[in-house]
Amino acid sequence: MIFGPAPEKVLNYVQTGDPKFASQSRSLREHMRAAFFLAAGTAPLPDPEKTGTLAAREKDILWRITSFIGQNWLLADHSCLSRSELDEILDEKTGHVPSYLAAYRRTLELHTRLASQLGSEAAATAYLFNPKASEPQEGWDIARSWVVRELLILYVTWGSFRRFGWSLVPGFEGGPYTQQPCPYRTLPNGN
Amino acid sequence: MATEGAVIVGAGLMGGLVAEILSRQGVANITVLEVGPCIEMRNRRTWLDVVTTGTVPYSKLYDDLSDFDATGVEPWNIVGGRLFGRGGSTVHWGGWAPRFFPEDFEQFSRTGSGADWPYSYDDLEPYYGLAEAWLQVAGHARAGQRDWRSSPYPMSPPPLPVTAAPVVAALEGLGLTYEHMPVARNSEPINGQPQCRTITTCQYCPIGARFTGDQPFDRLQSSGAVRLLTNKVATKVEMASRSRAAGISYLDTLTGATEFLEADQVFLCAGALEVPKLLLASRSRWWPEGLGNDHGLIGANLVANPYLYCRGTSASNPMRWQQEVSFPTLCTRDFDSPEEQSKGKFLMNMSSASPVLKPANMMFIGQQAPAVEAAVTGEVRYELQGGMSAFPSRRNRVSIAPGSTRFGLPRTRIEILDPLTPAEGIQRNIERMRTVMNRMGFSTSEAGAYPQRGDHAAATCGMGGSPETSAVDQDLRIWEVQNVSIASNAVLPAIGAANLTLTTVAVVMKTLSPVQGSPAPTLRSS
């Protein structure tokens, strides 16, 4: 019995078949890939098919880069993004297509070069978060588009938004709205 | 060639509903043909990408600009209005599920324009309750509401957010009422789906707590009750005689092969644009103008809700208003009334997309903590929105344009020669939103009507009392054809201001799954 294809990445659903329709199918596949790869910035995601796992040492550095966000924007007291949760997110991003493995590694290479040039890892990290950095280097666009931007979003979403007086933002799991108190701010008689 | 019991064209919401009803009735060999692919739902990695990139996995499953021709007084732009794939357009829908009001079923009688339904709100009411249960609707019943109800909502609604405060104050100050928008959100676990955990990436719920059209297929496919064939374009309803279909021809876009499925019963569930196009393509010696089209009604009467907006700004935001949930919550139906019907009824709601500030974006461009904090309490923008009722006209129609799309479908021609609703009504409702916005203390910056996307396209194969005036009978069967039925927005004769989905589900349930005491199921295979 023929059933629909088993769940898998939507990117993989459009397959090429008969040459008559191959161009249409390829076109759709390319459209869908382009929509993802260009969503976050101008630099294409490098080597998106290459999956893998970052080494613990690499995750250490990415955790310290992430922690800079809390220190610099005074968000650390509100963040609930733990090291283990970031590790899990990194594994998701590197373990499946489109993979961020190469993007993270190029960012780490850039970070290492910057640390050497600027004299410290802390200075290199701050440099990554400065959009007006005077001398962007190889890997800069990838680091900014796929790593820095997304770490900022993750850090704010994982609890830090509370610093602004908000109770919830999209992406943070507030829990059932039937509970008391409601996970988002409500009208006094909101029911 | 294969022999099937029932063939369903379209794996969207209505295809899933029909498949589930037929399966419950014991129909064997149910096959569903779907143009698009499967869309992976409830996947953590995909959801992480939605959070961090804003890109949903179905973003390229919409029409392209090159897929259609639009002409007339209101040229449509249907990009983003409908979605091809398992689950159909409910994969991206907001889950709005209000009922029509009784007067919506008497549009022509009450206004002299548009069309009447062949039955009344009272006739459909029991099925609205069943539809709300199936769509997992959370809502709040009001005393004395005109859309009277014989059964409670399945679930209580989400509490109104604090951002509703200025809108509620303005509405009350103007002597208007307000209510919860009924939404397909699981306040409690239901139908095997979990309780909403307020993650509020509702455009891609990672846990399936918003009803989407793929969920019935999950149930049906896991039990083996239905065979779903994706990437298959139905090209023609093949007839064995004038009164009986033999089956469906379809194109396999993965192989390029054309196949035929024999069917005892055919259900067309591909939406208000594709169903008439398939019927028009189904020419035969018995139906030379297309199946069911002897009177030129297939594709005619195309209608959809005009959608209006009004944006306003206040210089400061001391309460730090920010839409913390992304589902619809607050609406007023005071202008969705019989008195407004001739000029266009209006269901006004508060947008859940604003006010929204994205601190991470500010930080990315180099803004430091004091600047972000200042923005949180600085200028704030609100948007009011709303859908209007509209009037079907025979001069407004959908048909087939030359060429094909990347999905292998024939391109679409949309011709709108008569306005969907009077300009005077549109202007009046825009002014009403301005009045509310000004009462909120906001200065209005922009207001108008969004380009018509056809999200709620309907009436292109309308249901009625005779073949001279309608495409299908009350049993949703094409006139004079025993075994081809339409389950789609296409069969609604006319629309109110409310979103159509709940009403269409109720209509299909009324026909295919009557409650006890009503006539037997109408599925006939002999």
Side-chain angles (χ1 to χ4, degrees):
Chain A
M1 182 173 285
I2 303 170
F3 281 93
E8 55 178 309
K9 280 283 174 214
V10 68
L11 295 177
N12 296 332
Y13 270 103
V14 184
Q15 304 163 21
T16 55
D18 183 275
K20 183 179 174 186
F21 295 94
S23 61
Q24 286 178 346
S25 297
R26 266 199 299 274
S27 170
L28 178 54
R29 186 184 178 91
E30 286 160 6
H31 271 300
M32 295 163 77
R33 286 186 180 282
F36 182 86
F37 296 155
L38 296 179
T42 54
L45 186 68
D47 297 332
E49 306 286 344
K50 184 179 178 183
T51 58
T53 307
L54 292 167
R57 178 185 54 80
E58 294 172 312
K59 289 179 179 175
D60 286 342
I61 299 172
L62 284 168
W63 171 247
R64 291 199 292 274
I65 291 174
T66 304
S67 300
F68 171 84
I69 298 168
Q71 298 154 17
N72 190 62
W73 279 279
L74 311 177
L75 300 173
D77 289 347
H78 301 274
S79 175
C80 56
L81 181 64
S82 66
R83 167 66 193 269
S84 61
E85 192 155 17
L86 180 67
D87 283 357
E88 185 269 334
I89 291 169
L90 296 175
D91 288 343
E92 283 286 341
K93 288 280 192 175
T94 61
H96 305 280
V97 173
S99 170
Y100 280 48
L101 187 64
Y104 289 136
R105 289 201 164 136
R106 292 196 195 183
T107 299
L108 291 167
E109 289 165 10
L110 170 63
H111 188 255
T112 300
R113 286 200 308 277
L114 288 171
S116 173
Q117 293 166 12
L118 300 172
S120 71
E121 182 183 303
T125 300
Y127 194 93
L128 284 179
F129 285 90
N130 179 6
K132 297 168 185 162
S134 56
E135 295 181 17
Q137 303 188 21
E138 183 183 349
W140 174 259
D141 288 343
I142 290 168
R144 291 282 298 170
S145 297
W146 298 101
V147 183
V148 170
R149 182 200 298 264
E150 295 197 13
L151 291 178
L152 284 165
I153 292 170
L154 283 172
Y155 203 87
V156 171
T157 302
W158 260 248
S160 300
F161 59 84
R162 293 189 182 113
R163 182 178 186 280
F164 309 120
W166 307 333
S167 292
L168 191 62
V169 296
F172 184 79
E173 183 174 334
Y177 50 70
T178 50
Q179 71 186 15
Q180 293 294 331
C182 186
Y184 58 88
R185 291 179 294 163
T186 64
L187 286 181
N189 59 347
N191 289 318
Chain B
M1 189 179 86
T3 301
E4 301 296 333
V7 172
I8 297 169
V9 177
L13 177 75
M14 296 307 158
L17 172 62
V18 170
E20 206 156 73
I21 291 172
L22 296 182
S23 175
R24 279 205 304 266
Q25 292 176 349
V27 175
N29 299 327
I30 302 168
T31 299
V32 183
L33 301 174
E34 169 55 44
V35 166
C38 283
I39 302 164
E40 188 174 31
M41 306 291 283
R42 298 173 288 285
N43 174 272
R44 178 164 172 76
R45 167 58 198 275
T46 304
W47 172 77
L48 277 171
D49 291 340
V50 171
V51 173
T52 56
T53 72
T55 303
V56 289
Y58 48 82
S59 63
K60 282 297 173 182
L61 297 177
Y62 294 109
D63 289 279
D64 273 346
L65 279 172
S66 61
D67 290 341
F68 62 95
D69 298 331
T71 59
V73 295
E74 296 175 11
W76 289 22
N77 181 351
I78 61 174
V79 176
R82 58 179 184 162
L83 193 155
F84 301 97
R86 181 175 177 269
S89 298
T90 54
V91 167
H92 81 159
W93 79 319
W96 307 26
R99 297 182 177 195
F100 281 9
F101 280 133
E103 66 271 14
D104 294 324
F105 296 78
E106 305 164 353
Q107 188 186 58
F108 180 79
S109 297
R110 300 179 61 88
T111 69
S113 299
D116 284 343
W117 284 55
Y119 47 74
S120 68
Y121 177 87
D122 291 3
D123 296 322
L124 194 60
E125 198 285 332
Y127 302 95
Y128 266 131
L130 295 174
E132 286 163 343
W134 193 72
L135 286 172
Q136 303 157 198
V137 177
H140 179 70
R142 294 158 292 115
Q145 63 185 65
R146 285 187 296 114
D147 51 337
W148 68 270
R149 40 190 319 120
S150 59
S151 55
Y153 278 105
M155 292 172 286
S156 57
L160 293 177
V162 70
T163 42
V167 186
V168 165
L171 293 173
E172 288 180 335
L174 293 166
L176 299 170
T177 66
Y178 62 92
E179 58 194 87
H180 293 266
M181 175 70 78
V183 287
R185 295 287 187 291
N186 300 349
S187 302
E188 308 158 15
I190 186 170
N191 294 342
Q193 300 298 135
Q195 182 178 30
C196 174
R197 296 191 59 79
T198 328
I199 301 167
T200 79
T201 51
C202 294
Q203 72 276 34
Y204 187 84
C205 180
I207 60 173
R210 169 191 56 133
F211 180 94
T212 49
D214 60 294
Q215 293 171 9
F217 283 105
D218 284 349
R219 296 192 287 264
L220 291 163
Q221 289 185 269
S222 64
S223 68
V226 163
R227 182 171 71 134
L228 173 62
L229 304 178
T230 53
N231 301 292
K232 307 291 183 287
V233 179
T235 53
K236 187 177 182 183
V237 182
E238 304 285 359
M239 302 302 291
S241 66
R242 179 169 168 86
S243 62
R244 188 159 187 84
I248 294 282
S249 289
Y250 69 90
L251 173 68
D252 184 331
T253 56
L254 299 181
T255 66
T258 298
E259 307 281 354
F260 174 71
L261 272 177
E262 188 176 318
D264 290 333
Q265 188 79 9
V266 173
F267 291 88
L268 305 181
C269 307
L273 301 184
E274 290 311 318
V275 168
K277 286 169 60 186
L278 177 58
L279 293 174
L280 292 171
S282 300
R283 294 171 184 261
S284 65
R285 60 186 162 117
W286 297 286
W287 297 95
E289 301 304 318
L291 180 54
N293 196 35
D294 281 359
H295 300 280
L297 290 169
I298 301 299
N301 296 307
L302 175 62
V303 73
N305 297 120
Y307 208 68
L308 315 183
Y309 67 93
C310 176
R311 298 175 186 134
T313 306
S314 178
S316 66
N317 184 10
M319 301 303 292
R320 299 168 181 259
W321 284 320
Q322 166 90 351
Q323 291 293 11
E324 297 178 353
V325 291
S326 59
F327 45 73
T329 52
L330 175 73
C331 68
T332 177
R333 300 192 74 174
D334 282 8
F335 306 118
D336 188 2
S337 66
E339 295 74 25
E340 302 294 327
Q341 196 165 16
S342 62
K343 294 290 186 283
K345 305 167 79 201
F346 187 48
L347 194 167
M348 186 193 304
N349 66 281
M350 175 181 72
S351 168
S352 58
S354 65
V356 167
L357 181 74
K358 297 187 174 178
N361 289 355
M362 297 183 68
M363 294 152 66
F364 182 70
I365 61 171
Q367 299 287 306
Q368 295 301 310
V372 177
E373 177 63 25
V376 170
T377 54
E379 184 180 272
V380 59
R381 298 178 183 182
Y382 266 73
E383 180 167 328
L384 301 174
Q385 306 171 329
M388 286 185 67
S389 60
F391 297 92
S393 159
R394 283 191 65 163
R395 299 195 331 140
N396 297 339
R397 62 174 57 236
V398 59
S399 57
I400 297 170
S404 62
T405 73
R406 67 194 191 287
F407 292 103
L409 285 166
R411 292 177 66 254
T412 301
R413 174 179 288 127
I414 294 170
E415 198 173 14
I416 303 295
L417 299 181
D418 293 324
L420 299 179
T421 203
E424 176 190 348
I426 291 175
Q427 200 54 45
R428 184 157 69 176
N429 289 318
I430 288 173
E431 288 309 313
R432 284 170 169 150
M433 288 190 291
R434 284 189 196 275
T435 300
V436 174
M437 195 66 85
N438 291 336
R439 184 82 180 201
M440 290 164 59
F442 283 55
S443 60
T444 54
S445 49
E446 303 168 72
Y450 283 107
Q452 181 56 257
R453 291 199 319 186
D455 295 52
H456 304 151
T460 51
C461 301
M463 159 178 61
S466 78
E468 289 75 27
T469 59
S470 58
V472 298
D473 62 20
Q474 287 189 48
D475 291 336
L476 307 184
R477 284 177 305 179
I478 294 174
W479 287 105
E480 300 183 50
V481 180
Q482 295 172 2
N483 64 340
V484 180
S485 302
I486 300 176
S488 155
N489 291 346
V491 302
L492 306 188
I495 61 173
N499 305 53
L500 318 178
T501 304
L502 177 76
T503 297
T504 306
V505 170
V507 166
V508 173
M509 286 181 157
K510 180 178 187 301
T511 303
L512 295 185
S513 188
V515 295
Q516 285 186 343
S518 297
T522 57
L523 176 65
R524 288 187 279 266
S525 58
S526 59

